[in-house]
Amino acid sequence: MKLPQDWRIELHDTLQQPYIKEIWDFLNKEIKSGATIYPPQSMVFNAYNKTPFKEVKVCLLSQDPYHGEGQANGLAFSVSNGVPKPPSLENIFIELKNDLGIPIPEHGNLEKWAEQGVFLLNSVLTVRAGVPNSHKGRGWEQFTDATIKAISDGREGVIFLLLGKQAQEKISLIDVKKHHVLTSSHPSPYSVDKHFFGCKHFSYINKLLTIS
């Protein structure tokens, strides 16, 4: 697990905090106990590696990684090529099609989004296999909160897309006077019909990017 240099500079102060060591100690304990952790260690900071700090145009916030075998690849909602699309991602593609007419892709790999400036961030970066939210409250939230704050403080005009209640709680970290904030329900099948389908956030994001 290695954070790229540009993000290390922006997060220098938080990387010195005691909770960082506590995260590593917890993960090492999990591994020694025989637990399988997702995503693979090489992909834990994939969102940071794929989207440099100065190239963040959209920050899409979600919760924790997929906990099924082979699903999580370090990018929120994304799965690697060859992995079936989870329902939440399928619903994102449905809204994209309804909103912008974009055909639903055969794969669920969002690496191209990340490389184009969409920072796909989960509030928790790891999870135990088969146990959702199992790494919640272990320090990752402090780290990703610091990440959101760094983007808010160090950039201007970033579009924050907060999907679900947990993501929307992060709004206090964002300077809404210098950034755009869009919210909706989570695209999970349990909540997608409430305020996600029909939100038309993607066409609005395109409009904001065009005029920026």
Side-chain angles (χ1 to χ4, degrees), residues 75-133:
L75 304 174
F77 293 109
S78 176
V79 292
S80 297
N81 292 335
V83 178
K85 291 172 286 187
S88 293
L89 179 57
E90 190 70 55
N91 287 334
I92 288 174
F93 288 147
I94 290 172
E95 176 61 21
L96 270 168
K97 181 180 180 181
N98 293 339
D99 188 13
L100 293 171
I102 297 174
I104 296 176
E106 295 182 1
H107 64 83
N109 193 334
L110 302 182
E111 285 188 358
K112 288 192 179 299
W113 288 21
E115 292 166 356
Q116 293 171 1
V118 182
F119 187 51
L120 298 163
L121 183 67
N122 283 311
S123 62
V124 177
L125 299 187
T126 58
V127 68
R128 181 186 283 216
V131 189
N133 287 316

Side-chain angles (χ1 to χ4, degrees), residues 14-39:
T14 198
L15 289 172
Q16 312 308 311
Q17 298 301 312
Y19 76 83
I20 295 294
K21 182 178 183 301
E22 292 172 5
I23 294 174
W24 306 144
D25 289 345
F26 169 71
L27 291 177
N28 287 330
K29 185 177 179 181
E30 284 275 84
I31 293 169
K32 287 180 180 178
S33 75
T36 298
I37 306 301
Y38 296 135

Side-chain angles (χ1 to χ4, degrees), residues 62-65 122-126 135-137 140-141 144 166:
S62 189
Q63 300 171 6
D64 65 339
N122 283 311
S123 62
V124 177
L125 299 187
T126 58
H135 289 183
K136 183 178 180 180
W140 279 130
E141 293 92 341
T144 54
Q166 188 171 322

Side-chain angles (χ1 to χ4, degrees), residues 140-151:
W140 279 130
E141 293 92 341
Q142 290 172 264
F143 180 75
T144 54
D145 280 0
T147 298
I148 297 166
K149 187 77 163 52
I151 296 171

Side-chain angles (χ1 to χ4, degrees), residues 54-65:
K54 291 185 178 180
E55 295 182 19
V56 175
K57 299 174 183 176
V58 178
C59 183
L60 191 160
L61 300 180
S62 189
Q63 300 171 6
D64 65 339

